[in-house]
Amino acid sequence: MAICAALGEELAGIDPLLSSTASPKFGDFQANLAMGLARRLGKQPRDIAAEIAAWLDDERLFERVEVAGPGFINLYLNRDFINRCLIDMATDTALGIKQVATPETIIVDYSAPNVAKEMHVGHLRSTLIGDTIVRILSMLGHKVIRQNHLGDWGTQFGMLIEHMIESGWDPAERAQASGDLHLLYQAAKQKFDSDGDFAGRARARVVALQAGDEQSRGYWQSLIDDSRRHFNSIYQRLGVLLEDGDICAESFYNPVLAETITELDAAGVLEHSDGAAVVFPEGFTDRDGKPLPLIVQKQDGGYLYATTDLAAARYRIRELGADRIIYVIDARQSLHLSMLFATLEKAGWLAGGVRLQHVAFGTVLGADRRPFKTRTGETVRLAALLDEAVVRTGRVIDAKQPALSAQQRQEIARIVGIGALKYADLSNDRIKDYIFDWDRMLALDGNTAPYLQNAYVRIRAIFRKGEVHSEAVDMQAISIAHPAERTLALKLLRFAPTLELAAAQLEPSRLCTYLYELATGFHAFYENCPVVKDDVSDTVRAGRLALCALTARVLKQGLALLGIETVEQM
């Protein structure tokens, strides 16, 4: 508004390049647009900044507005304005988070482990990033539909079923036992690789399974049931939202694969190359510059992952009413997904403006900067990783809190250990690889979950010490005065905008960074602003208790959006 008033309506909508300042001496916020406008307007940046600043002279919002350096506009917010905004936030059950004006139906495809295999560290990122995106988008008012696209179909099931039959497994008993998917798969694979006759029988078993053979289907279903129990136990321990009702596995789409091919042909996009049915999406070429095909049906009539993915997108758009589909899948699948998206566009299946987004992520690395493995070179099983997180945290809790009961220490170890594991993943820029480091993720200082949880614990300790119930705090008493209070207040007011940014970029690390900065701001406040000491006046005490209560709510809500619990003691 001030930009248009000072420089003309043609600049309506221009980005003011507003950011928080690195130091309070430069104000609370800084607008840096003047330098970029200098050539366009034919004026000096400081003159442009001065014209804009003149229209920002509103005492209700700003204590002062200054032009600094080559053309920075430094904004110092009015203290009463900050107080009013904080009170509004504190008295709002949604903490100032506004629902989106136009809610969308958003499908989020995440986790997607393979049946008959235990979940391993490679499933961690998709599961955690996807779950946080689901929580944030739901918080903002979108209708979010979770989809767990289990891998439950393919040639490996012939190998597994044949091994189960020949080993005397009873499907009825198997469905009631927890089983060991890891050992089962290893044994079947070893037999498949070393015994040619068994491999032949396994391939024949695939044909029987796909033809609907009752015995084969019974064993196949027992594998699915056993796998679901395993997946659910992991999801429960991780605290993610996925349930059986969110499963829409590969086999679900088998009945519609043929008609998917037929419809591609009717749309005029299907071609044949070397006997296979393919689509040539525009813009994709091989190393020799030749068009790169997306194969949707093999020479022998068999279907591929691409066929199932096309059928799944078709179902999500037409049956689930998707406005947007988000795929939380490893960055190494970028080419496949780009070709899939282009094929859907070419076939005309994205009519109505359906948006497709690939939320890519990097790999979890070991200290050697290679994919994280056990000392023996095996893939790290996710259940073992969760166990170790709790055990390592338990040792620390046992040493620091021996007065607590064994049950209390165990529960704290679970919450802090699992939270540390999750936060270490989510706090990293998702597109980048990161090095798995137990010491770093469990540290009580730095950008870690224990550091954030400890900030919450400190706040709860303040209320216990003051014998005050946080629910009884008068939020109207907020009145910032000390610089540490102001810093904390301004950080609190960034909660809703941060969620909006994290949602727009589908980037959980934005929320993590915010929570870390909020916790840092609280710790500075804690060190500089006594709350319940005898020499603190009733007015100051009431205001600071209100700030503490609001900070605790934001920390708890923010961590909950990451799927991380809080504790009362550590």
Side-chain angles (χ1 to χ4, degrees):
M1 192 174 180
I3 296 171
C4 293
L7 305 174
E9 291 295 332
E10 64 272 15
L11 293 178
I14 192 169
D15 186 353
L17 301 179
L18 191 67
S19 61
S20 299
T21 57
S23 170
K25 67 181 180 181
F26 299 123
D28 300 314
F29 295 95
Q30 190 175 78
N32 301 328
L33 76 162
M35 284 75 77
L37 290 173
R39 178 174 294 183
R40 177 175 175 178
L41 300 178
K43 297 181 179 181
Q44 291 297 316
R46 278 190 66 90
D47 294 338
I48 295 172
E51 291 180 51
I52 297 172
W55 283 93
L56 291 172
D57 188 17
D58 185 340
E59 293 182 355
R60 295 169 300 173
L61 297 179
F62 305 108
E63 289 179 358
R64 66 183 190 276
V65 178
E66 296 177 347
V67 176
F72 302 120
I73 304 173
N74 295 340
L75 306 171
Y76 299 78
L77 293 178
N78 180 288
R79 188 177 69 175
D80 290 337
F81 174 70
I82 296 174
N83 287 336
R84 288 196 302 273
C85 290
L86 277 176
I87 291 169
D88 288 345
M89 178 182 179
T91 54
D92 179 7
T93 56
L95 290 169
I97 300 167
K98 305 298 182 187
Q99 301 287 281
V100 292
T102 308
E104 295 180 304
T105 296
I106 303 175
I107 311 299
V108 182
D109 179 331
Y110 68 111
S111 193
N114 290 318
V115 164
K117 289 185 180 180
E118 283 202 54
M119 291 182 73
H120 54 75
V121 68
H123 296 110
L124 188 66
R125 304 213 72 190
S126 174
T127 304
L128 299 185
I129 293 168
D131 207 61
T132 299
I133 287 172
V134 165
R135 292 171 188 267
I136 292 174
L137 293 175
S138 299
M139 186 78 179
L140 295 176
H142 293 290
K143 177 184 177 182
V144 183
I145 301 175
R146 303 182 294 270
Q147 291 283 275
N148 195 355
H149 191 75
L150 295 186
D152 71 340
W153 203 249
T155 56
Q156 74 270 25
F157 287 96
M159 173 187 80
L160 288 161
I161 293 168
E162 190 64 24
H163 172 68
M164 291 169 73
I165 291 172
E166 295 184 9
S167 301
W169 292 66
D170 185 331
E173 292 179 2
R174 179 69 182 173
Q176 298 173 17
S178 60
D180 191 325
L181 298 169
H182 180 66
L183 294 178
L184 171 66
Y185 189 87
Q186 278 189 331
K189 185 69 166 65
Q190 183 179 15
K191 198 170 183 180
F192 184 86
D193 292 340
S194 62
D195 185 338
D197 290 340
F198 174 80
R201 294 193 300 275
R203 293 188 184 97
R205 182 63 60 181
V206 175
V207 176
L209 174 64
Q210 293 176 344
D213 173 68
E214 186 174 343
Q215 182 190 35
S216 301
R217 296 285 271 191
Y219 279 95
W220 174 75
Q221 186 61 53
S222 75
L223 285 170
I224 291 174
D225 293 340
D226 200 29
S227 297
R228 281 185 179 180
R229 283 193 295 275
H230 165 68
F231 300 152
N232 287 339
S233 70
I234 296 293
Y235 294 147
Q236 184 177 18
R237 294 185 69 187
L238 279 173
V240 301
L241 301 173
L242 288 169
E243 300 174 345
D244 282 351
D246 303 317
I247 293 173
C248 205
E250 290 175 352
S251 60
F252 176 82
Y253 302 103
N254 286 342
V256 298
L257 295 182
E259 66 184 65
T260 299
I261 299 296
T262 300
E263 190 169 337
L264 287 172
D265 195 19
V269 301
L270 196 68
E271 300 184 39
H272 289 84
S273 176
D274 296 327
V278 305
V279 177
F280 288 102
E282 285 79 5
F284 296 91
T285 56
D286 62 19
R287 292 180 180 179
D288 298 324
K290 296 179 181 178
L292 193 64
L294 183 72
I295 304 173
V296 295
Q297 190 171 25
K298 295 185 291 186
Q299 289 179 323
D300 62 4
Y303 302 112
L304 299 98
Y305 289 123
T307 327
T308 303
D309 287 341
L310 286 166
R314 182 169 166 263
Y315 169 79
R316 292 164 180 178
I317 293 167
R318 298 179 184 178
E319 303 299 325
L320 300 183
D323 298 307
R324 187 164 29 141
I325 307 176
I326 296 170
Y327 296 81
V328 187
I329 297 177
D330 193 318
R332 290 170 291 187
Q333 297 297 317
S334 293
L335 176 61
H336 168 73
L337 286 171
S338 295
M339 294 182 72
L340 177 73
F341 295 172
T343 298
L344 290 166
E345 180 70 41
K346 186 173 184 177
W349 294 356
L350 302 182
V354 178
R355 290 185 290 152
L356 307 175
Q357 294 174 281
H358 177 201
V359 175
F361 53 85
T363 304
V364 183
L365 305 177
D368 58 359
R369 296 186 177 275
R370 296 179 178 178
F372 190 36
K373 303 279 187 180
T374 65
R375 290 182 180 179
T376 59
E378 295 183 347
T379 301
V380 179
R381 289 187 284 169
L382 200 43
L385 202 65
L386 298 181
D387 289 341
E388 187 166 358
V390 175
V391 168
R392 283 176 176 262
T393 308
R395 293 189 192 122
V396 178
I397 300 299
D398 289 345
K400 291 195 171 188
Q401 295 284 9
L404 296 177
S405 70
Q407 184 177 357
Q408 286 175 310
R409 295 197 306 272
Q410 185 177 15
E411 182 65 1
I412 293 170
R414 180 190 68 79
I415 292 173
V416 175
I418 301 298
L421 183 68
K422 297 180 72 171
Y423 189 87
D425 192 295
L426 294 167
S427 60
N428 284 278
D429 182 346
R430 62 171 164 78
I431 199 62
K432 296 179 180 178
D433 300 340
Y434 77 89
I435 296 174
F436 193 91
D437 185 337
W438 283 116
D439 292 337
R440 179 178 175 275
M441 71 175 60
L442 294 173
L444 276 171
D445 54 0
N447 189 11
T448 68
Y451 179 76
L452 303 185
Q453 290 165 321
N454 191 47
Y456 180 82
V457 166
R458 276 189 165 183
I459 296 173
R460 300 304 299 161
I462 288 172
F463 284 99
R464 287 195 299 271
K465 182 178 179 180
E467 298 181 340
V468 177
H469 291 290
S470 56
E471 296 81 5
V473 171
D474 180 10
M475 291 301 179
Q476 302 289 337
I478 290 176
S479 181
I480 62 171
H482 192 283
E485 292 177 326
R486 186 184 187 95
T487 299
L488 179 59
L490 292 172
K491 187 54 65 176
L492 284 165
L493 293 174
R494 293 296 303 162
F495 184 46
T498 297
L499 286 187
E500 292 170 4
L501 180 62
Q505 298 181 346
L506 300 176
E507 181 54 271
S509 68
R510 295 286 184 179
L511 176 57
C512 294
T513 299
Y514 166 81
L515 292 173
Y516 171 59
E517 292 175 354
L518 176 63
T520 301
F522 172 76
H523 283 299
F525 163 84
Y526 181 84
E527 297 297 330
N528 292 281
C529 302
V531 180
V532 293
K533 286 188 176 180
D534 293 339
D535 58 350
V536 175
S537 71
D538 290 344
T539 301
V540 172
R541 182 175 187 266
R544 289 178 178 174
L545 281 171
L547 267 182
C548 287
L550 180 55
T551 303
R553 283 180 61 197
V554 173
L555 283 171
K556 190 179 183 74
Q557 179 66 78
L559 286 168
L561 288 170
L562 299 173
I564 297 173
E565 299 175 67
T566 51
V567 292
E568 296 292 312
Q569 300 180 79
M570 277 179 66

